[in-house]
Amino acid sequence: KAGVTQTPRYLIKTRGQQVTLSCSPISGHRSVSWYQQTPGQGLQFLFEYFSETQRNKGNFPGRFSGRQFSNSRSEMNVSTLELGDSALYLCASSPTITGLVEAFFGQGTRLTVV
Amino acid sequence: GNSVTQMEGPVTLSEEAFLTINCTYTATGYPSLFWYVQYPGEGLQLLLKATKADDKGSNKGFEATYRKETTSFHLEKGSVQVSDSAVYFCALYENNDMRFGAGTRLTVKP
């Protein structure tokens, strides 16, 4: 069974640009959540989707957005990138409706903003 | 709000040493508690969990007991191996809110 797949693995963007990250969950998993991991702030919850609906949202500015498609694949978008957005972005999928439990994580997308 | 506090790392141990990584939490009610592990270059993996007071989670020789009276969920292993070198995260989940600790890096030397 394939794991959670995140693309791309590495990304370099310039301040002010926007970026879209992709996550393919484990087959059969309908819940997808996103996290930002930085050395200073650790792991912070961004948002969670279940059946194309956002169920929860963390404390991030509106520049961070996401969506989920009917096949459960998810994308997150960050607009007007800032240097502080440089981080490892992790996606996790879960078979349960309470998607923040029993989560299976992907390897992450490392975003560098220059 | 809810929060998780882990002992700061890094922790360096020799192979076969005893491991303890402390974790305490603050929550309004009765959260579920987790330990996740992140190996180099990989995402997080669930290591073990406990969903109510006095539950003991265990996996791969690691154990942690949910102690409500001390609001703690310390991770222990009796004899660590080089392959246990990783970053360990304590986490809690309550009312659709997931919080992670800052992570503790463990290095095990042969």
Side-chain angles (χ1 to χ4, degrees), chain A residues 83-99:
Chain A
L83 295 179
D85 296 333
S86 295
L88 180 67
Y89 289 88
L90 292 168
C91 167
S93 76
S94 171
T96 60
I97 192 168
T98 50

Side-chain angles (χ1 to χ4, degrees), chain A residues 5-93:
Chain A
T5 303
Q6 291 187 247
T7 56
R9 289 291 311 279
Y10 303 92
L11 206 49
I12 300 176
K13 288 286 189 178
T14 304
R15 255 185 318 175
Q17 287 186 311
Q18 68 97 26
V19 67
T20 300
L21 311 182
S22 180
C23 172
S24 293
I26 291 172
S27 177
H29 286 194
R30 295 168 62 191
S31 174
V32 173
S33 51
W34 289 88
Y35 296 84
Q36 182 195 65
Q37 186 177 24
T38 60
Q41 300 295 320
L43 267 164
Q44 294 185 282
F45 170 71
L46 279 156
F47 24 65
E48 182 205 0
Y49 288 88
F50 182 85
S51 293
E52 302 177 68
T53 301
Q54 188 180 89
R55 294 186 67 241
N56 291 293
K57 190 176 192 304
N59 189 26
F60 277 81
R63 300 186 296 109
F64 292 80
S65 63
R67 58 178 176 169
Q68 186 181 34
F69 302 95
S70 58
N71 61 359
S72 294
R73 192 177 68 85
S74 178
E75 290 181 346
M76 69 161 280
N77 185 77
V78 188
S79 62
T80 320
L81 283 165
E82 301 176 359
L83 295 179
D85 296 333
S86 295
L88 180 67
Y89 289 88
L90 292 168
C91 167
S93 76

